[in-house]
Amino acid sequence: MRIPRGELRRSRVVDDAAAVLRAVLDEELTGYVVFEPQDALLLGETTSGVVTFEDGIPVLAYDTEREVGGRDGLEGFAVTGPTRAAVHAVDAAALADAHEVEAFRIPPGEPARVLAGDERLAERTVDAAPAARREEGRDQSAVEAFLADADAIEEIRSEAREEARARASEWGLDDVLADDARDSAAIEPGTDSR
Amino acid sequence: MVEAFAVASGKGGTGKTTSTLALGMALAEDYDVTVIDADTGMANLLFHAGLDDADVTLHDLLVDERDAAVSDAVYERFGMSVVPCGTSLAAFEAADPGRLRDVVAELAADTDVLLLDSPAALGSKSAVLPVVLADRIVVVLQPTVPSLSDGLKVQEYAHSYGTDTAGVVFNRVRPDENVDKIAEQAGRYFGGQTLASVPESDAVRAARREGKPLLAHAPEDPAADAFREAAARLDVRDGDGRDVAERFKSAVVPERI
Ligand SMILES: Nc1ncnc2c1ncn2[C@@H]1O[C@H](COP(=O)(O)OP(=O)(O)O)[C@@H](O)[C@H]1O
Ligand SMILES: [Mg+2]
């Protein structure tokens, strides 16, 4: 993939990709960010990827090591932990050609979701996107991929269970908790029988 | 009283109110149905049911020294008993959410099926009460990641209070979307069954503008068919009316938030 070289705005190691995505959204960057997960480096792997933006909204993702684009590309450099993020500004006109590559395009909320696991930021990004781009969030393959990740789903569920339990006591609803919810020890991760 | 369902989603705009009234009308063919707008913070069922000018609403039943009887807030519309909620913020603030239990208990005493249109949020006692009080939830989802994720959360809240999942309605499904695969995958995490896949339809919005439930405004619309199918799949359980009233009585600590 050819992305026109941009003007480097800043390059630093951040604890998580969400901070960069948020900043880029707020400053409405048109350009790209190169991500280099640092933990992958420690393991002796080079991992890096690029996400391009139009007015702060993600457009393309590309794994520069594996040379894969789109959602699969994004997953290639979704490594938790600190990442070096180099933010570049590019002229919108100069990016237009690259942005035509349909196969590399991603729904606007995906980088926040995949790189940072930040559903809130994903939603904020989608809300800020132009109407036509918001539709892309309904990428069926993204929904299927989400549902295929049983571990991530179990995490959402167990977090919600804990939250429900904590709030029940806040609200004086302890008494009406189901027996197995009251006794936290009885909850086994992965239970989805009910 | 047979069973109380909370129609829930965790996220706004998925079609809870639309679904509540559509399922209510479909179930009213076979049951005595009462529909309650339990979304007391963002009530909008009244607009969907042509009750914008209702004098007495649920809000009037939730205040400390109320002079309205429960029956004053019940309106016979479209073959159902409808209990709308007002939209005034002041009334919401004056309302004691704990009182919803008594109101629901009283309404439960002489109806077969109770449908609670539930709030989109989970952040307050009044928002979770419908899910606490119901026997089972019907989860209304759009085939998107945020909606599924919020639906999973609401289900966990419900299960924590011993409220099971009756099933899932996929709503606002586009013609180019095939929800079969998504429904099959989602079925691994959601309880109950996939009740229906309701297409995105202009008739739904038109019905809302008319202040009529979809099944009254456009009974022939494919979306109406889908909701009727969902209602038919909902295996309403025979419960002992007395048990339910008792359970509501002991259910919620009547304490202010
Ligand atoms: N199947 C559908 N097709 C088209 N529009 C729909 C459909 N279901 C709901 N809507 C519209 O979406 C909006 C939100 O629906 P509503 O039932 O009020 O959702 P909720 O109660 O979950 O906030 C309304 O304008 C409604 O007319
Ligand atoms: Mg509603």
Side-chain angles (χ1 to χ4, degrees):
Chain A
M1 184 177 71
R2 297 204 62 80
I3 296 176
R5 184 169 299 282
E7 171 200 327
L8 180 66
R9 286 282 179 80
R10 56 185 184 274
S11 173
R12 59 177 79 117
V13 176
V14 292
D15 282 342
D16 105 72
V20 182
L21 294 169
R22 201 172 292 122
V24 160
L25 178 64
D26 290 341
E27 77 200 53
E28 302 184 5
L29 174 85
T30 295
Y32 60 92
V33 176
V34 182
F35 291 95
E36 287 174 317
Q38 302 297 292
D39 288 1
L41 280 180
L42 293 179
L43 298 172
E45 287 172 44
T46 343
T47 305
S48 79
V50 184
V51 178
T52 69
F53 298 83
E54 221 169 80
D55 301 326
I57 311 295
V59 180
L60 298 183
Y62 189 72
D63 178 334
T64 47
E65 295 303 315
R66 292 186 306 139
E67 306 193 336
V68 183
R71 197 178 192 282
D72 288 344
L74 196 56
E75 270 167 4
F77 57 100
V79 181
T80 44
T83 186
R84 173 168 291 281
V87 178
H88 302 256
V90 185
D91 230 37
L95 267 178
D97 275 353
H99 282 176
E100 299 276 292
V101 186
E102 209 50 53
F104 294 171
R105 290 179 70 101
I106 40 161
E110 284 307 277
R113 204 167 279 136
V114 177
L115 298 181
D118 193 331
E119 193 62 45
R120 269 220 151 92
L121 179 60
E123 270 189 58
R124 233 190 88 198
T125 311
V126 174
D127 286 344
R133 300 283 334 270
R134 277 205 294 271
E135 300 295 296
E136 293 169 29
R138 298 192 59 154
D139 174 1
Q140 189 160 340
S141 62
V143 175
E144 285 170 12
F146 170 78
L147 288 171
D149 191 345
D151 290 343
I153 299 245
E154 179 45 36
E155 207 173 302
I156 292 175
R157 298 182 69 177
S158 65
E159 251 175 51
R161 271 198 292 274
E162 267 164 44
E163 197 180 277
R165 235 180 296 132
R167 288 183 169 172
S169 25
E170 239 174 80
W171 296 327
L173 292 174
D174 266 334
D175 300 14
V176 278
L177 282 178
D179 291 341
D180 51 349
R182 209 175 307 151
D183 176 10
S184 55
I187 292 184
E188 287 165 38
T191 311
D192 66 1
S193 55
R194 306 193 322 144
Chain B
M1 170 68 192
V2 179
E3 208 177 2
F5 297 96
V7 180
S9 73
K11 198 174 163 58
T14 54
K16 288 179 296 298
T17 304
T18 302
S19 304
T20 304
L21 287 167
L23 292 173
M25 270 190 75
L27 289 167
E29 299 278 317
D30 298 313
Y31 300 95
D32 198 346
V33 175
T34 300
V35 162
I36 305 175
D37 190 353
D39 189 354
T40 52
M42 289 224 281
N44 66 349
L45 189 136
L46 74 172
F47 303 121
H48 289 247
L51 286 167
D52 314 29
D53 53 1
D55 248 358
V56 183
T57 76
L58 182 62
H59 272 156
D60 301 298
L61 306 179
L62 300 179
V63 292
D64 269 341
E65 311 245 306
R66 69 170 152 104
D67 24 65
V70 168
S71 59
D72 294 339
V74 181
Y75 300 81
E76 298 306 322
R77 292 289 187 286
F78 310 103
M80 309 171 277
S81 302
V82 180
V83 181
C85 186
T87 54
S88 135
L89 185 61
F92 169 65
E93 280 169 352
D96 173 359
R99 289 181 183 276
L100 183 64
R101 176 204 55 171
D102 301 321
V103 173
V104 168
E106 194 171 333
L107 289 164
D110 48 43
T111 195
D112 295 337
V113 178
L114 231 144
L115 293 172
L116 299 160
D117 185 10
S118 308
L122 290 167
S124 68
K125 183 172 171 179
S126 61
V128 297
L129 268 187
V131 156
V132 176
L133 293 174
D135 295 291
R136 291 191 288 167
I137 51 168
V138 171
V139 190
V140 181
L141 298 171
Q142 280 178 250
T144 66
V145 173
S147 172
L148 285 160
S149 159
D150 284 341
L152 287 165
K153 283 184 204 156
V154 110
Q155 173 174 264
E156 286 313 318
Y157 269 72
H159 288 182
S160 299
Y161 291 104
T163 306
D164 275 345
T165 308
V168 171
V169 171
F170 285 97
N171 187 29
R172 313 198 65 169
V173 177
R174 307 250 179 81
D176 62 325
E177 283 169 332
N178 172 6
V179 287
D180 290 353
K181 169 114 190 271
I182 292 173
E184 187 210 307
Q185 286 178 297
R188 282 183 231 140
Y189 312 113
F190 287 97
Q193 45 174 332
T194 302
L195 298 169
S197 163
V198 180
E200 174 86 20
S201 159
D202 287 337
V204 176
R205 275 181 295 269
R208 158 77 179 76
R209 280 194 298 273
E210 291 269 296
K212 282 186 184 169
L214 172 69
L215 269 64
H217 172 76
E220 310 288 316
D221 192 77
D225 288 338
F227 278 120
R228 272 190 295 264
E229 187 188 321
R233 290 221 171 111
L234 209 56
D235 59 320
V236 177
R237 289 174 187 165
D238 259 323
D240 177 345
R242 232 176 343 144
D243 269 8
V244 177
E246 277 305 301
R247 196 169 48 74
F248 283 128
K249 288 244 162 56
S250 60
V252 179
V253 195
E255 168 201 306
R256 299 193 66 99
I257 37 165

